[in-house]
Amino acid sequence: MSQFKIVVDALGSDKGPEAIILGVSLALKEHQDLAVTLVGPEDLINEKIKELEIDTSRLKVINATETITNYENPYTGIMSKPQASLVLAMKEVGKEEENYSGMITAGSSGAILMGSFRFLADENKTRPCMAAMLPNAKGGYTCLVDTGATIDCTSSQLHSFAHLGSDLMKKMYGINSPKVALLSNGAEPTKGNHLVKETFPILQEDKELNFIGNIEGNNALSGDCDVLVCDGFAGNQVLKNTEGMAKRLITDIVVLSKKRNRPEFMEVAQYLMKTYDISALGGGMLLGTRKLIIKARGNSDERAIVNISKMIINYANGEAIF
């Protein structure tokens, strides 16, 4: 009997539904205690099931005839497309009697946020935020919140994000009092834009948070904090810049290794690829909802689906996701 059940949105990926379906096939093979509900075009899914010889004893298919693109207004998409795969997937994962552990989607970030408000809001009506777990210089992980779900934030929202990130690090990594910092352009309390200056005293006065002050972008992944709080615009820039720089460094090392005939350089490149591999890092975790939703990156391949499935299983077990 399967111990873990997840919902997977087959649409929204840049690589098409075929990559998602293949990822589901591999996840079912690697995790015998996993069952999947796959939401998408039924005819295509059934065709791929036969082609890949997927065991259907742990697979359920829900037909979806529409999709919400990144170019649509998120609210309009959620409200006007009841048969969209994202809408049907969220409705399914929200069924308490099904006891799902979580959901995977590569869909529009805005639509995911709007859908979570409509179908998966928690009892406290907390505004959800997108969290990314990034490797830091001390060998652990830093929870970056928000990474793009809410671009323009209020100080009260950043305060809420700090609690959601702190609670995640307590549950996942057993950190009794996670160190929380605020992303700013200077370490001093007087630095930052209006939002940062307004949020600083709120976090400082909250005795439930272990707030350590501001942290600049060059120290974002130093490991000096466990949770780094920022608005979605700034957080998305930190996330994308980190990934972009890692790719550039890896490429330069590989080129230099071949150019100078220094094969030992490849060990460094392989270490960086393993540490900063996008597929290995999975996707953004939507916090503040009744069920865990992980947004896979738009260019996620089948391995990303396998790894995100493992993240959800670990989360359901109360274990570190990496």
Side-chain angles (χ1 to χ4, degrees), residues 167-233:
D167 289 344
L168 177 68
M169 297 306 284
K170 289 177 183 177
K171 178 179 179 179
M172 292 289 95
Y173 293 96
I175 304 173
N176 292 327
S177 184
K179 291 178 289 185
V180 177
L182 189 61
L183 182 66
S184 183
N185 65 331
E188 302 88 345
T190 55
K191 291 293 182 70
N193 58 17
H194 177 74
L195 175 62
V196 171
K197 291 177 181 178
E198 188 178 75
T199 305
F200 188 99
I202 296 175
L203 299 183
Q204 190 175 44
E205 292 168 9
D206 189 337
K207 302 306 179 184
E208 295 182 8
L209 292 173
N210 180 14
F211 180 58
I212 63 172
N214 290 340
I215 278 186
E216 297 180 76
N218 62 330
N219 287 320
L221 300 181
S222 63
D224 292 336
C225 69
D226 301 302
V227 180
L228 184 57
V229 180
C230 54
D231 64 74
F233 182 86

Side-chain angles (χ1 to χ4, degrees), residues 5 27 49 58 63 98 101 122 137 140 153 167 173 176 186 188 197 213 220 227 236 254 258 267 291 293 307 321-322:
K5 296 171 62 178
I49 287 175
R58 291 180 286 125
N63 186 40
E98 294 290 346
S101 298
D122 66 11
C153 296
D167 289 344
Y173 293 96
N176 292 327
E188 302 88 345
K197 291 177 181 178
V227 180
N236 194 262
V254 171
K258 293 179 179 179
E267 293 184 17
K291 295 290 182 177
I293 299 176
N307 291 329
I321 57 175
F322 298 122

